[in-house]
């Protein structure tokens, strides 16, 4: 996959791609990530890229020409051009899955100021928000999206790091994990995990994943098609919780 990031602050990305799983994905040539400075496309002698908003009001707006030229310098026929904005569709794992199958992603990051809306209306294919809060720019959201997308590309995670069992993979939050020691400051690891009985462990994990999702994120259960076994477990979870009340 090729990823191009159009930004006024390319230095913000230094370090992010130089460590851990993203670094490995770049080294293995599974992904090729480039930062492009929108300012390099300014035709202004002072490299100015913004101007006052028509109609007045506070702040500045990034002009369309340097963004258009920056997009044109990297765009291919099948590129997805993603603008990071709090007005966008709220990001989730299913969007991450869909983006991970693309050949070319272009991320357009605004910073402080707005972007001339003609770029968004005519050239952007996706508007994404990473949540209902406002950041100073699209750079951090772009990093969040890129990290969550790249780890889904086949070959990026090793066998030991599989995402098959983690939160949101199958529409549930992940079951709790424990490691040695068996007892820590008087707090014991759940007995079933020490039993060696794989069927019982599987059942316990499914119960815990469903329980956690039911308590913390019932909205996720509404969007998920439960198997017969999961429905039975959920019924039991509700009964068990009623007993505690
Ligand atoms: N830019 C500023 N805030 C944002 C958010 N929450 N998501 C995406 N882009 C943004």
């Amino acid at each position: 996959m090729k990823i191009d990031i159009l930004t006024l602050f390319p230095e913000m990305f230094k370090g992010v791609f130089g460590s851990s799983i993203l670094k490995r994905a770049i080294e293995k040539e599974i992904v090729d990530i480039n930062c492009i400075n929108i300012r390099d496309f300014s035709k202004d002698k002072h490299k100015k890229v913004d101007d006052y908003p028509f109609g007045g009001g506070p702040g500045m707006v990034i002009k369309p020409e340097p963004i258009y030229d920056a997009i044109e310098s990297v765009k291919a026929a099948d590129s997805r051009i993603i603008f990071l904005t709090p007005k966008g569709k709220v990001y989730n794992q299913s969007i991450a899955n869909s983006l991970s199958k693309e050949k070319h992603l272009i991320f357009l990051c605004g910073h402080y100021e707005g972007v001339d809306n003609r770029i968004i209306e005519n050239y952007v294919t996706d508007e994404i928000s990473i949540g209902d809060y406002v950041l100073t720019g699209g750079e951090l959201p772009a990093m969040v999206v890129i990290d969550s997308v790249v780890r889904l590309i086949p070959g990026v995670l090793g066998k030991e790091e599989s995402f098959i069992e983690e939160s949101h993979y199958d529409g549930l939050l992940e079951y709790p994990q424990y490691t040695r020691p068996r007892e820590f400051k008087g707090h014991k690891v759940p007995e079933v995990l020490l039993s060696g009985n794989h069927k019982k462990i599987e059942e316990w994990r499914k119960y815990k994943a469903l329980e956690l999702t039911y308590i913390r994120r019932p909205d996720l259960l509404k969007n998920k098609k439960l198997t017969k076994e999961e429905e039975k477990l959920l019924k039991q979870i509700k009964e068990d919780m009623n007993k505690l009340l």
Side-chain angles (χ1 to χ4, degrees):
M1 176 190 284
K2 185 167 180 279
I3 296 179
D4 289 300
I5 304 158
L6 314 185
T7 170
L8 289 170
F9 296 88
E11 66 279 4
M12 281 184 75
F13 292 86
K14 274 197 196 123
V16 180
F17 305 132
S19 50
S20 186
I21 289 168
L22 281 184
K23 180 180 178 199
R24 217 169 55 202
I26 294 166
E27 282 170 359
K28 285 202 214 162
E29 296 183 7
I30 297 173
V31 68
D32 172 24
I33 307 182
N34 305 292
C35 286
I36 288 131
N37 194 336
I38 297 167
R39 203 173 295 284
D40 290 345
F41 292 85
S42 167
K43 297 213 169 75
D44 186 88
K45 66 172 183 274
H46 303 293
K47 293 278 165 206
K48 203 167 128 56
V49 288
D50 55 8
D51 210 332
Y52 295 100
F54 277 128
M60 300 289 273
V61 178
I62 309 183
K63 293 156 72 63
E65 302 95 323
I67 300 181
Y68 176 82
D69 289 343
I71 292 174
E72 283 297 308
S73 75
V74 289
K75 193 179 147 197
D78 54 359
S79 310
R80 259 174 84 178
I81 306 176
I82 300 158
F83 178 52
L84 290 313
T85 165
K87 296 187 213 169
K89 185 164 179 201
V90 179
Y91 192 58
N92 60 24
Q93 193 64 29
S94 132
I95 303 176
N97 280 330
S98 133
L99 294 180
S100 75
K101 298 185 177 98
E102 297 289 345
K103 280 209 197 92
H104 186 207
L105 303 179
I106 300 174
F107 289 90
L108 172 61
C109 310
H111 206 92
Y112 315 126
E113 49 247 295
V115 163
D116 188 292
N117 214 59
R118 287 166 291 184
I119 290 292
I120 301 162
E121 287 161 28
N122 298 304
Y123 304 102
V124 160
T125 59
D126 303 75
E127 292 180 60
I128 290 180
S129 161
I130 61 159
D132 291 338
Y133 43 85
V134 179
L135 298 160
T136 49
E139 283 79 7
L140 288 170
M143 290 176 208
V144 168
V145 173
I146 291 167
D147 186 277
S148 58
V149 165
V150 169
R151 63 196 296 285
L152 294 175
I153 303 173
V156 170
L157 292 187
K159 269 208 190 77
E160 300 297 311
E161 302 160 327
S162 160
F163 49 77
I164 302 290
E165 304 231 334
E166 71 194 8
S167 289
H168 298 292
Y169 173 73
D170 64 353
L172 296 177
L173 301 182
E174 193 193 7
Y175 53 78
Q177 299 265 36
Y178 303 86
T179 185
R180 273 185 279 244
R182 287 170 172 233
E183 190 171 332
F184 170 69
K185 295 194 186 292
H187 307 292
K188 293 196 173 113
V189 168
E191 203 60 47
V192 60
L193 298 177
L194 311 173
S195 68
N197 184 332
H198 294 295
K199 190 161 175 284
K200 279 236 150 65
I201 292 172
E202 272 313 298
E203 267 171 28
W204 181 86
R205 286 182 165 165
K206 194 74 189 192
Y207 182 101
K208 283 295 187 190
L210 267 168
E211 182 188 52
L212 200 62
T213 312
Y214 177 63
I215 294 169
R216 295 206 182 151
R217 296 291 307 274
D219 57 307
L220 293 179
L221 288 181
K222 284 207 189 91
N223 299 329
K224 180 176 158 63
K225 181 142 182 38
L226 294 179
T227 63
K228 281 254 146 40
E229 188 216 348
E230 287 169 339
E231 264 171 23
K232 224 173 104 191
L233 274 175
L234 191 60
K235 195 164 164 258
Q236 194 189 328
I237 288 163
K238 288 179 186 170
E239 281 168 16
D240 291 350
M241 284 176 67
N242 275 335
K243 275 185 219 148
L244 289 175
L245 293 176

